[in-house]
Amino acid sequence: MRLLSTKIKPFLKWAGGKTQLLGQLTPLLPIELKLGITKCYVEPFLGGGAMFLHIASLFEIQEFILSDINPEVILSYRVVQKDVQSLLSVLDEMQSEYDKLNLLQQEQYFYKVREEFNSSLHSIDFQAITEESTRRVAQTIFLNHTCFNGLFRVNLKGGFNVPFGKYKNPTFHDRSNLLEIAEILKDAYLLCGDFMICNEFVDDKTFFYFDPPYRPISATASFTSYSTSSFNDNAQKRLAENFRFLDKQNARLMLSNSNPKNENPNDDFFEQLYSGYAIKNVMAARAINSQGSKRGQISELLITNY
C-alpha cells in the first residue's frame, strides 16, 4: 500500500471521533508500528474511522481489519471500497438539488430523505453492493452532514431520528478525499458484528485500537444510540476481558474511554478493569451537550499494554 501525501478526513462525522486527539495519540502509538514491525491494524469500533485513516496515512500497513456493530457504518465503507464512482454520482446529484433550495425547502428535503432512508431499512441487503445500497449510503452521508450536530443516532427500531441542522451551504462530500479513502480500503477487510469478531486476526504483528461507546460519566451524560444495541458496564467488562486475552497473544493494544473521575474522583471503574496496564490521560473537547456551560476540555483515558 502506498503512503498518502495528503491529509485524509473521515467521510462520516462521528460523536466521540478521534480527529481532535490525533496529535496527542500519535506519540503514544507502539514503537513496533513506527518501526514497520506491525503488519496488521485492527479497529473493532470503526465509526468515523479517524484513527484508521491517520494510521493509513502515516505507516506502511499490509492489512486492515475494520469492524463495527452498526450495519449502516460497514455498508458505507463497503460501498466506498467497491463502488465509489457510483456513490459520487449520487452525491453530486443530491448536492446539486440541495444547493438550489432555500432554507425551508432544504429542511423539507432533509425530512423527505430521512423518511425514505427509514422506510427502506428492512428492504436493504446490507451484504450486497447494489444501486439501492449505494443510494442508501449517499443518504447516510447526506443526513450525517446536514442533521443537528452531525450525529448518527437511531431509535430502538433502527430508524435515524436526528433533526435537521439548519447549516448554510453544507458540502456533503469531498470527491478527492473519498477517492483516497477508496484506495486505502483496497487493503481492508470490513466486518459487521461484535468487537470479538476481530479476534481471529490476532498475532504478535498486530495493533488493535479500541474506541468503544464511552461509559457515561454522569447520569445525564449518556448518548443514545449509534446502534440498536447498548454498551453498558457488563459490555465494558467483557471488552476488558478481551483486552487481556489479546494481550496474551502478544498483540499491541490501545483503548480509549471516558474518565469517570471528571465527575467522581473516587470512581476507579477503569483502574480496576485494566489494573496492570498503562493508563494515561488525554484532554478532549466535550462535543455533545445541550448546555453550553458543559462544553469544554475534559479528561479522557488512554489504556495501553506497552
Side-chain angles (χ1 to χ4, degrees), residues 71-306:
E72 305 286 1
V73 170
I74 295 303
L75 179 64
S76 296
Y77 281 90
R78 284 176 175 160
V79 167
V80 173
Q81 181 188 53
K82 301 291 186 182
D83 199 13
V84 69
Q85 292 294 348
S86 295
L87 175 62
L88 285 167
S89 295
V90 180
L91 285 168
D92 286 342
E93 179 183 345
M94 294 180 74
Q95 184 81 62
S96 178
E97 292 174 352
Y98 193 78
D99 288 346
K100 296 174 183 176
L101 306 176
N102 61 38
L103 186 60
L104 177 59
Q105 292 170 326
Q106 288 178 343
E107 183 172 6
Q108 294 170 338
Y109 186 94
F110 172 89
Y111 285 111
K112 179 182 176 182
V113 171
R114 196 180 79 168
E115 172 59 28
E116 181 182 340
F117 180 84
N118 288 338
S119 64
S120 65
L121 172 62
H122 299 295
S123 64
I124 291 291
D125 181 354
F126 283 91
Q127 302 301 315
I129 306 302
T130 64
E131 183 177 339
E132 290 75 18
S133 61
T134 297
R135 179 162 183 78
R136 185 171 186 82
V137 171
Q139 292 173 340
T140 299
I141 294 172
F142 166 79
L143 292 170
N144 179 238
H145 284 263
T146 56
C147 72
F148 178 73
N149 263 1
L151 309 181
F152 189 98
R153 184 185 65 199
V154 297
N155 58 30
L156 291 176
K157 295 181 179 179
F160 186 84
N161 64 357
V162 185
F164 182 57
K166 297 183 180 180
Y167 300 115
K168 292 184 178 180
N169 305 316
T171 300
F172 314 151
H173 67 293
D174 179 328
R175 172 175 288 270
S176 61
N177 189 69
L178 267 177
L179 290 171
E180 289 276 26
I181 294 174
E183 182 70 21
I184 297 171
L185 288 171
K186 289 180 179 179
D187 300 303
Y189 291 93
L190 292 163
L191 308 171
C192 186
D194 179 83
F195 58 85
M196 291 182 69
I197 199 173
C198 296
N199 282 6
E200 64 180 282
F201 300 96
V202 64
D203 62 24
D204 61 357
K205 293 182 174 60
T206 303
F207 172 48
F208 280 74
Y209 175 62
F210 296 94
D211 188 23
Y214 278 16
R215 182 176 186 249
I217 59 175
S218 69
T220 59
S222 181
F223 175 70
T224 308
S225 170
Y226 306 113
S227 71
T228 54
S229 66
S230 62
F231 207 85
N232 56 22
D233 278 3
N234 286 333
Q236 298 284 0
K237 292 173 183 177
R238 192 164 62 90
L239 177 58
E241 292 173 359
N242 196 60
F243 191 96
R244 293 185 182 278
F245 165 78
L246 295 171
D247 179 37
K248 292 178 181 177
Q249 316 308 311
N250 297 316
R252 291 294 175 261
L253 312 172
M254 175 184 280
L255 181 144
S256 296
N257 218 308
S258 60
N259 185 356
K261 294 185 185 300
N262 285 295
E263 294 285 337
N264 180 1
N266 298 317
D267 190 333
D268 61 354
F269 180 80
F270 288 113
E271 283 84 353
Q272 292 290 330
L273 277 188
Y274 292 96
S275 63
Y277 295 113
I279 302 179
K280 300 180 177 67
N281 291 302
V282 294
M283 298 304 295
R286 186 195 295 267
I288 297 179
N289 199 300
S290 58
Q291 301 177 47
S293 63
K294 295 291 188 179
R295 299 182 185 183
Q297 291 293 308
I298 190 170
S299 172
E300 294 186 358
L301 299 180
L302 191 72
I303 301 164
T304 62
N305 71 335
Y306 52 85

Side-chain angles (χ1 to χ4, degrees), residues 25-34 51 54-55 58-59 207 254 306:
L25 300 185
T26 301
L28 302 175
L29 293 170
I31 189 64
E32 291 86 353
L33 187 64
K34 301 173 184 179
M51 178 66 96
H54 184 63
I55 295 290
L58 291 179
F59 305 106
F207 172 48
M254 175 184 280
Y306 52 85

